């Protein structure tokens, strides 16, 4: 039964006062409600399947993003430099040397961090907020990522709200964490820098 037919049955029910329905009208009403329930269930299944397909496509595209290059190379070159803050709260002073020494283009993205790794330090990656209308300088900055270094030559980048504002409503948070295996000299440099 189509929705418009069901609306007619419901109108009839309202006009009849609901208590004075004939057995045939009552059966029509029950059948109409059952049909509407099935149509709604079918529509919900289709919407759920479409949502799952969209989520899978988003996750596939998110896996392609090289967050290390995005942050250290692209973001840093678009007029909003990244500041790297060590565990002790001190900023890395010479960002050009730091970027050269960490050799981001040589990092290898891996699926997961091995279980037996030991954390050796963290860095907060900060960036100035976008300059708003009427401002000449932004006085606000955001922690856009947390970089964790491991003794075994791994680095994780967790992209935070400063960069993903509102995206994590649609995209699961785990899509904003990337794990990299880094060359030995880079691992040693980052560990020394973090200490």
């Amino acid at each position: 039964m189509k929705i418009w037919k069901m609306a007619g049955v419901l109108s009839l029910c309202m006009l009849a006062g609901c208590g004075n329905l004939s057995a045939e009208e009552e059966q029509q009403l029950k059948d109409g409600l059952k049909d509407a329930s099935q149509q709604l269930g079918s529509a919900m299944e289709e919407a759920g399947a479409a949502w799952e397909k969209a989520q899978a496509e988003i996750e596939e595209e998110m896996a392609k993003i090289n967050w290390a290059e995005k942050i250290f190379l692209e973001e840093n070159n678009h007029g909003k430099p990244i500041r790297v803050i060590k565990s002790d709260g001190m900023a890395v002073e010479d960002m050009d040397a730091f970027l050269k020494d960490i050799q981001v283009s040589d990092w290898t993205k891996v699926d997961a961090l091995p279980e037996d790794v030991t954390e050796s330090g963290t860095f907060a990656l900060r960036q100035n907020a976008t300059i708003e209308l009427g401002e000449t300088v932004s006085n606000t900055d955001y922690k856009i990522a947390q970089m964790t270094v491991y003794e075994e030559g791994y680095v994780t980048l967790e992209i935070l709200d400063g960069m993903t504002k509102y995206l994590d409503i649609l995209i699961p948070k785990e899509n904003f964490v990337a794990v990299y295996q880094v060359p030995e000299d880079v691992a040693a440099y980052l560990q020394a820098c973090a200490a």
Side-chain angles (χ1 to χ4, degrees), residues 1 6 9-10 26-39:
M1 179 180 283
M6 200 174 63
V9 170
L10 290 174
E26 191 174 316
Q27 187 58 47
Q28 274 186 332
L29 180 60
K30 286 179 183 178
D31 291 344
L33 290 173
K34 181 179 176 183
D35 192 38
S37 175
Q38 289 172 345
Q39 287 179 14

Side-chain angles (χ1 to χ4, degrees), residues 71-124:
I71 290 174
F72 288 116
L73 303 179
E74 292 176 30
E75 287 293 317
N76 207 46
N77 290 328
H78 290 299
K80 290 174 70 175
I82 302 297
R83 284 187 315 289
V84 177
I85 312 298
K86 300 182 229 178
S87 303
D88 64 5
M90 300 299 294
V92 169
E93 303 240 352
D94 187 349
M95 275 303 294
D96 290 333
F98 180 82
L99 292 172
K100 182 180 175 213
D101 289 338
I102 66 171
Q103 306 167 32
V104 172
S105 56
D106 292 338
W107 293 15
T108 304
K109 194 170 183 183
V110 296
D111 290 335
L113 190 64
E115 291 182 26
D116 57 347
V117 294
T118 305
E119 184 178 315
S120 61
T122 60
F123 297 90

Side-chain angles (χ1 to χ4, degrees), residues 11-179:
S11 297
L12 176 66
C13 177
M14 287 179 8
L15 292 173
C18 290
N20 300 328
L21 292 178
S22 68
E24 182 182 329
E25 292 169 334
E26 191 174 316
Q27 187 58 47
Q28 274 186 332
L29 180 60
K30 286 179 183 178
D31 291 344
L33 290 173
K34 181 179 176 183
D35 192 38
S37 175
Q38 289 172 345
Q39 287 179 14
L40 181 60
S42 176
M44 293 298 286
E45 284 178 25
E46 288 176 24
W51 176 253
E52 287 175 12
K53 181 181 177 190
Q55 284 291 95
E57 289 174 6
I58 288 170
E59 287 185 26
E60 184 179 319
E61 290 302 311
M62 292 293 292
K64 294 177 185 176
I65 297 173
N66 185 332
W67 287 109
E69 287 185 357
K70 180 93 175 135
I71 290 174
F72 288 116
L73 303 179
E74 292 176 30
E75 287 293 317
N76 207 46
N77 290 328
H78 290 299
K80 290 174 70 175
I82 302 297
R83 284 187 315 289
V84 177
I85 312 298
K86 300 182 229 178
S87 303
D88 64 5
M90 300 299 294
V92 169
E93 303 240 352
D94 187 349
M95 275 303 294
D96 290 333
F98 180 82
L99 292 172
K100 182 180 175 213
D101 289 338
I102 66 171
Q103 306 167 32
V104 172
S105 56
D106 292 338
W107 293 15
T108 304
K109 194 170 183 183
V110 296
D111 290 335
L113 190 64
E115 291 182 26
D116 57 347
V117 294
T118 305
E119 184 178 315
S120 61
T122 60
F123 297 90
L125 308 177
R126 302 190 72 83
Q127 186 177 51
N128 280 347
T130 301
I131 296 173
E132 301 293 331
L133 185 63
E135 292 181 327
T136 55
V137 175
S138 176
N139 294 324
T140 306
D141 76 347
Y142 294 104
K143 182 177 178 184
I144 62 168
Q146 173 88 20
M147 181 170 69
T148 305
V149 180
Y150 298 88
E151 290 178 7
E152 295 76 9
Y154 290 92
V155 170
T156 57
L157 276 177
E158 180 182 359
I159 312 308
L160 303 174
D161 293 341
M163 195 162 178
T164 64
K165 194 171 190 176
Y166 307 120
L167 287 177
D168 57 357
I169 294 170
L170 299 172
I171 303 169
K173 193 71 172 162
E174 61 267 12
N175 288 294
F176 296 106
V177 177
V179 180

